[in-house]
Structures are given as structure tokens and as C-alpha cells.
Amino acid sequence: MQGLILQLTRAGFLLLLWLFVWSVLRALRGDIYAGSGVRVPPRYSRTGNVLPSLGKTKTAKYLVVTQGGLAGTRITLGTQPVLIGRADDSTLVLTDDYASTRHARLSPRGADWYVEDLGSTNGTYLDRAKVTTSVRVPLGTPVRVGKTVIELRP
């Protein structure tokens, strides 16, 4: 009977050890890919279609502030980059204590818009992921700059 208890204890300890190693590897993988700005797309769209709809791509025409002191502000997008920060020469001048003077920039590349952090103190976030490089901004995805949240709209 003691031999059976000893074997079960060893098996349980080995299982716990493998679970610990698996969780450490998973955390390391998350840390390695967190700073790259790479977002893995879902396998299927929310509508259930496996194939993307062709010819129905919408382009961003407006930048809308959804949260913060300037909530409701709408900027028409053109071909010029949009500078976001507390500086007076910014396109979107924020009165947010958590925003830097020159915090972030939205730049057009073809039909897509990309956000990049300009070395801000508190960082720029694209849907809860910290922006470290230039990252494409999908329509309707929140971009947080300090306490201000903005979105691209068609």
C-alpha cells in the first residue's frame, strides 16, 4: 500500500512540474510577441464567413474621439498624417495630463491607417495592446492615448 501511495505522489509531482514548465513557456511566448505589435487575426470572422467579402472594404474617413475630455470631436481624414498630443501644433490637441507633447501619429499608407507611438511616457495602446512599432489600425478599433480614446470610422 505504501508503494502505491509513493508512486501516485511521484506521478502527481511530475504532473505539477510539467504544468509549471508549460505555464512558464506560455508566459515567455506572450512576452516575446507582446512587443512586436503583431496581432494574430482570428480564424473566422464574427459573421461566420470563412472567406472575406471581396470589394466591400471600407476606408476610414473620420477620426472620432469616443472617450476623454474631447469626446464627440470628429476630424475629417485626408492624405496628411494626424499628430496627437498636447502641443499646440498637433492636429488633435489633447488637454490630458497623461498625454505627452507629441504622443502619437496616425499615418495613411494606401487605404490603411497606421498608428505609431512617438516616444511617449505612458504609451499608446491599440485595443489593450501597447504600440511599439507602426501598427495598422482597423476601423472601429479603439486607440488609447492617455485617458483619451479615438477610433477610425467610415
Side-chain angles (χ1 to χ4, degrees):
M1 189 66 170
Q2 289 181 346
L4 179 63
I5 293 174
L6 182 62
Q7 290 296 339
L8 288 175
T9 305
R10 286 181 182 170
F13 179 73
L14 188 62
L15 178 67
L16 285 174
L17 182 64
W18 277 108
L19 286 173
F20 174 74
V21 169
W22 179 75
S23 65
V24 167
L25 289 175
R26 210 174 133 149
L28 286 174
R29 180 181 168 264
D31 287 345
I32 288 171
Y33 293 113
S36 67
V38 174
R39 294 182 55 134
V40 179
R43 288 187 178 182
Y44 302 103
S45 66
R46 292 182 182 161
T47 59
N49 295 336
V50 177
L51 298 175
S53 56
L54 300 174
K56 295 184 180 180
T57 58
K58 294 182 180 178
T59 58
K61 294 181 182 171
Y62 300 102
L63 175 70
V64 179
V65 180
T66 57
Q67 292 179 17
L70 299 173
T73 304
R74 186 168 125 173
I75 297 174
T76 304
L77 298 173
T79 58
Q80 297 297 319
V82 176
L83 185 63
I84 303 167
R86 291 188 304 167
D88 292 334
D89 62 342
S90 297
T91 311
L92 180 61
V93 180
L94 302 177
T95 56
D96 188 349
D97 291 337
Y98 295 96
S100 298
T101 305
R102 284 183 172 59
H103 196 101
R105 177 176 36 233
L106 280 167
S107 305
R109 292 186 197 162
D112 296 328
W113 284 81
Y114 287 77
V115 65
E116 61 182 309
D117 187 77
L118 300 177
S120 65
T121 305
N122 293 322
T124 303
Y125 292 85
L126 177 66
D127 196 23
R128 289 188 251 140
K130 189 169 186 174
V131 174
T132 56
T133 61
S134 185
V135 181
R136 188 177 78 82
V137 180
L139 289 176
T141 304
V143 177
R144 185 166 53 87
V145 175
K147 291 184 177 181
T148 304
V149 178
I150 59 174
E151 291 181 8
L152 295 176
R153 300 274 172 90

